[in-house]
């Protein structure tokens, strides 16, 4: 009787590891998307940040983050818990005695890939004018401390998970995406807009230098999202995983259509950047309830997310918060919408669930806004967070890295 159990454990664990690989690939998607939507003179800087962030995420999560996020049953219902530094192997770490679906190391590496995503979201919003050193410092603190504390509130058995109607966030519309979105909002605000973005005569668009690269980035992210959401089933259960694949895909497709229609009516043109962000907004929106939604629910959630992202981009430009890649609109606005949608659509819909979703959004928003403000503002008042005007005009590549992404071509704005 032991062989079928062991075979199931192996299959579940294999799917979790494949999902981990898919989530890892998302970091390449973020790198190419952000690089494509910014100017050529800052490409090396974008690639550098998106290379160093996964490294920071893995190391900080191993050192402190994992045990902050999953401190153990003694901290159930709490707002904070910590079970010590480093990774200590529990008894039966490589068997179903640890978990029916995966080993201890599979658990860690899957969650670690999620951890780095929050700081990657911030990277896009502060692109083209943030100092590299302070950004790395912010990433260390935000990924190492802020993200796992918030994650503990739900996924680690904290107070949001023990409400009368528990807060629900299947794969992280709030716990991952809005965490990054709040940090992105604070960073973009405290940095101020790029030179030449907002002029006395109005807003001046600063186009990205490589839309094929940006498009490739979105498709890599969509591809990786099958692991992001599908892996969050935490097993290879065929019914749930296949359902999650369908809801994820439909929401992404509907997000593209929502952004296409909204941007055409708003700008009277077919804007590829809006459609790309519409896809991402649909994916972010479905992430909170991908296992709870039906076909129609998923399409509505994705479509509304695609519409919202267009008007969010316009709104942030109106209030002069410069976000070169639309990260705040996608991850913060989309994350809030997707989290609320759990209380409106699907298996959990109801006033009690909607209240819990609102409470979770507010608690996470307050904590992340305050934490990111404290980190960014402290850095701003001490070492500074923005490069000087000369460096910004010349480009961060040559000034921060002493190289160019395209040395055979003359630099252009």
């Amino acid at each position: 009787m032991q062989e079928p159990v062991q075979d199931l454990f192996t299959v579940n664990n294999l799917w979790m590891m494949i999902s981990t690989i898919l989530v890892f690939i998302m970091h390449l998607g973020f790198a190419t998307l952000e690089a494509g939507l910014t100017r050529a003179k800052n490409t090396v800087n974008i690639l550098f940040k998106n290379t160093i962030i996964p490294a920071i995420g893995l190391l900080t999560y191993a050192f402190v983050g994992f045990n902050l996020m999953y401190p153990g049953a003694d901290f159930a219902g709490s707002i904070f818990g910590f079970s010590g530094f480093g990774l200590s192997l529990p008894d039966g770490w490589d068997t179903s005695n640890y978990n029916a679906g995966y080993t201890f190391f599979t658990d860690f590496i899957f969650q670690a890939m999620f951890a780095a995503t929050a700081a990657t979201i911030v990277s896009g919003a502060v692109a083209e004018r943030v100092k590299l050193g302070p950004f790395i410092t912010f990433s260390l603190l935000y990924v190492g401390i802020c993200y796992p504390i918030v994650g503990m509130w739900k996924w680690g058995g904290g107070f949001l998970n023990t409400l009368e109607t528990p807060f629900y966030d299947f794969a992280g519309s709030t716990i991952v995406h809005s965490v990054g979105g709040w940090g992105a909002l604070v960073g973009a605000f405290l940095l101020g807009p790029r030179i030449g973005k907002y002029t006395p005569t109005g807003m001046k668009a600063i186009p990205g230098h490589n839309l094929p690269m940006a498009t490739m980035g979105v498709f890599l992210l969509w591809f990786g999202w099958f692991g992001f959401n599908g892996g969050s089933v935490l097993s290879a259960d065929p019914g749930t995983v296949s359902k999650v694949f369908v809801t994820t895909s439909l929401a992404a497709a509907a997000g593209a259509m929502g952004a296409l229609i909204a941007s055409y009516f708003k700008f009277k043109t077919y804007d590829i950047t809006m459609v790309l962000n519409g896809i991402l907004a649909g994916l972010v929106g479905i992430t909170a309830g991908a296992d709870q939604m039906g076909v129609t629910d998923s399409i509505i959630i994705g479509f509304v997310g695609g519409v919202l992202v267009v008007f969010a981009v316009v709104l942030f430009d109106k209030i002069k918060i410069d976000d070169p890649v639309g990260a705040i609109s996608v991850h913060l606005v989309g994350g809030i919408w997707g989290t609320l949608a759990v209380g409106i659509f699907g298996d959990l819909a109801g006033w009690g669930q909607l209240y819990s979703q609102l409470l979770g959004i507010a608690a996470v928003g307050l904590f992340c806004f305050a934490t990111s403000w404290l980190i960014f503002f402290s850095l701003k008042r001490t070492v500074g967070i923005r490069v000087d005007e000369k460096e910004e005009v010349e480009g961060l590549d040559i000034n921060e890295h002493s190289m160019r992404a395209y040395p055979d071509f003359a630099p252009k704005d």
Side-chain angles (χ1 to χ4, degrees), residues 31-39 46 207-211 213-214:
T32 52
L33 172 62
E34 291 174 22
L37 291 180
T38 52
R39 289 169 289 185
I46 296 291
H209 84 283
N210 194 325
L211 289 180
M213 183 185 287

Side-chain angles (χ1 to χ4, degrees), residues 26-48:
M26 291 176 73
H27 292 288
L28 176 59
F30 279 118
T32 52
L33 172 62
E34 291 174 22
L37 291 180
T38 52
R39 289 169 289 185
K41 63 185 180 181
N42 298 309
T43 302
V44 173
N45 184 258
I46 296 291
L47 299 178
F48 188 94

Side-chain angles (χ1 to χ4, degrees), residues 350-368:
W351 289 110
Q353 189 65 56
L354 188 59
Y355 172 77
S356 294
Q357 299 305 100
L358 283 166
L359 182 63
I361 290 166
V364 171
L366 232 92
F367 182 74
C368 291

Side-chain angles (χ1 to χ4, degrees), residues 5 23 43 75 90 115 124 134 164 174 182 187 271 311 325 339 382 390 396:
V5 174
V23 178
T43 302
F75 299 95
E164 184 177 351
T174 282
W182 287 113
D271 189 332
F311 290 101
V325 304
T339 306
T382 52
K390 178 176 177 292
L396 275 62

Side-chain angles (χ1 to χ4, degrees), residues 296-357:
T296 304
D297 299 330
S298 305
I299 292 171
I300 294 171
I301 291 168
F303 188 88
V304 172
V307 172
L308 285 174
V309 81
V310 173
F311 290 101
V313 168
V314 173
L315 172 64
F316 286 121
D317 271 336
K318 280 187 177 178
I319 61 177
K320 297 185 178 180
I321 293 180
D322 182 17
D323 178 0
V325 304
I328 304 168
S329 301
V330 169
H331 299 279
L332 179 56
V333 175
I336 290 172
W337 159 241
T339 306
L340 288 174
V342 171
I344 303 170
F345 303 100
D347 300 340
L348 300 175
W351 289 110
Q353 189 65 56
L354 188 59
Y355 172 77
S356 294
Q357 299 305 100

Side-chain angles (χ1 to χ4, degrees), residues 11 18 33 85 100 208 211 279 286 291 301 333 342-343 387-388:
V11 170
I18 292 170
L33 172 62
F85 294 98
L211 289 180
I279 291 169
I286 198 61
D291 63 330
I301 291 168
V333 175
V342 171
V387 299
D388 63 38

Side-chain angles (χ1 to χ4, degrees), residues 236-255:
D237 177 70
T240 309
V241 172
S242 59
K243 180 183 181 182
V244 167
F245 269 45
V246 170
T247 57
T248 298
S249 296
L250 290 176

